[in-house]
Amino acid sequence: MKLDFEKMGGLIPAIVQDNNTNKVLMLGFMNEEAYEETKETGKVTFFSRTKNRLWMKGETSGSILQVVSIMVDCDNDTILIKANPTGPVCHTGADTCFGEKNVEDLMFLKYLQNFIEQRRQEMPEGSYTTSLFQKGVNRMAQKVGEEVVETVIEATNGTEDGFIYEASDLIYHLIVLLTSKGLRLEDLARELKKRHKG
């Protein structure tokens, strides 16, 4: 797909969104050279209209934007970049250029599953997650069962803190089991959405 750089005099808007939280981090402009540099290096690079040159986000602050994906809009004149920031994005020190905190606790579950998948691929020694994958699906399923029982006990006879602790253990072990089966939390979300009647 060819981007239309001519429509706005050689520049296109590039919206940057956090890959994990889905927060919009900033908007910048790219010329064709900046776009190619971004694709080649995996680091978001803009064309600075004030400096009249290419400018890699974070080149002075160190808060770079690591590219995860690049999408083009229907008119081929705007791009959406999903990225992982290494620090605050705005020059003011704010998380985003729109003054929002770049935090979405629920999205941490997606990050956690990505991390667990990385453990499954790399299998580093000394990792508890690695040990679960090494023991196989039966042990992983058994751990989910154990955590269910502990969660139920805390829900009926324990404390709120204890319940949250055990429910967190349950979710973690369920994500490990899902990952071992080649499935993701998004698969569960799709199933629940299908069942939801509104």
Side-chain angles (χ1 to χ4, degrees), residues 7-145:
K7 193 181 284 186
M8 290 181 59
L11 297 176
I12 59 168
I15 302 159
V16 183
Q17 182 181 33
D18 188 290
N19 185 56
N20 292 308
T21 66
N22 288 330
K23 295 278 187 187
V24 174
L25 301 174
M26 67 176 295
L27 167 72
F29 289 88
M30 291 184 178
N31 61 7
E32 197 159 0
E33 189 182 358
Y35 176 68
E36 292 301 328
E37 183 80 5
T38 297
K39 287 196 308 182
E40 187 178 315
T41 65
K43 297 179 173 93
V44 176
T45 302
F46 298 106
F47 178 80
S48 171
R49 293 166 297 165
T50 53
K51 298 172 185 167
N52 199 34
R53 66 172 177 84
L54 293 189
W55 161 68
M56 184 190 78
K57 178 67 180 130
E59 68 185 18
T60 53
S61 68
S63 296
I64 63 172
L65 295 166
Q66 294 280 359
V67 176
V68 174
S69 66
I70 299 175
M71 292 179 278
V72 179
D73 80 333
C74 56
D75 292 323
N76 299 330
D77 62 3
T78 304
I79 60 173
L80 174 65
I81 299 174
K82 293 199 175 188
N84 292 322
T86 61
V89 173
C90 187
H91 70 280
T92 64
D95 286 355
T96 79
C97 289
F98 302 96
E100 289 188 294
K101 285 297 242 177
N102 188 21
V103 177
E104 182 57 66
D105 290 341
L106 191 57
M107 294 304 290
F108 176 76
L109 293 177
K110 180 180 175 183
Y111 166 83
L112 180 61
Q113 183 155 25
N114 291 340
F115 182 81
I116 289 169
E117 173 59 29
Q118 187 177 352
R119 282 285 195 257
R120 189 187 68 77
Q121 290 175 13
E122 297 172 359
M123 299 292 271
E125 288 185 33
S127 160
Y128 174 67
T129 307
T130 296
S131 73
L132 288 172
F133 286 123
Q134 288 171 336
K135 290 174 184 169
V137 72
N138 288 348
R139 179 59 182 144
M140 286 182 264
Q142 182 183 6
K143 279 300 292 178
V144 170

Side-chain angles (χ1 to χ4, degrees), residues 169-186:
D169 278 353
L170 172 58
I171 295 295
Y172 162 78
H173 285 92
L174 180 59
I175 293 173
V176 171
L177 183 58
L178 278 169
T179 304
S180 76
K181 304 289 282 180
L183 299 168
R184 292 194 53 88
L185 287 166
E186 290 88 340

